[in-house]
Amino acid sequence: MSIDSLGVASVACITVICYLAALVIKQTPLNNRWIPTVCGCLGAALGLAAYYGGMVDFPACDAMTALAVGIVSGLAATGADQLVKQLKQ
């Protein structure tokens, strides 16, 4: 399976990468209020990288859509973290 055939699964990959970045940030002295901002920016960068990297099945037909897909995927990682946190309580 080549990287070009990931398609829509690349959106989930962006979310997982941003979630792992959020976990790393939690272990640093950086204030946790920056986690959504970092996840959104990282997701945006990964969305554009996927679009310009030539992923054939990436669900974006232009750079702005790729940017939006990346940001939403990055922020979904923050939501997933909060979901786990709330379910534990």
Side-chain angles (χ1 to χ4, degrees), residues 27-50:
Q27 302 304 317
T28 67
L30 188 65
N31 194 332
N32 285 347
R33 69 183 178 129
W34 291 105
I35 291 175
T37 304
V38 170
C39 285
C41 291
L42 180 60
L46 291 172
L48 288 173

Side-chain angles (χ1 to χ4, degrees), residues 15-27:
T15 304
V16 169
I17 291 168
C18 291
Y19 182 77
L20 292 174
L23 292 178
V24 169
I25 292 170
K26 283 185 178 183
Q27 302 304 317

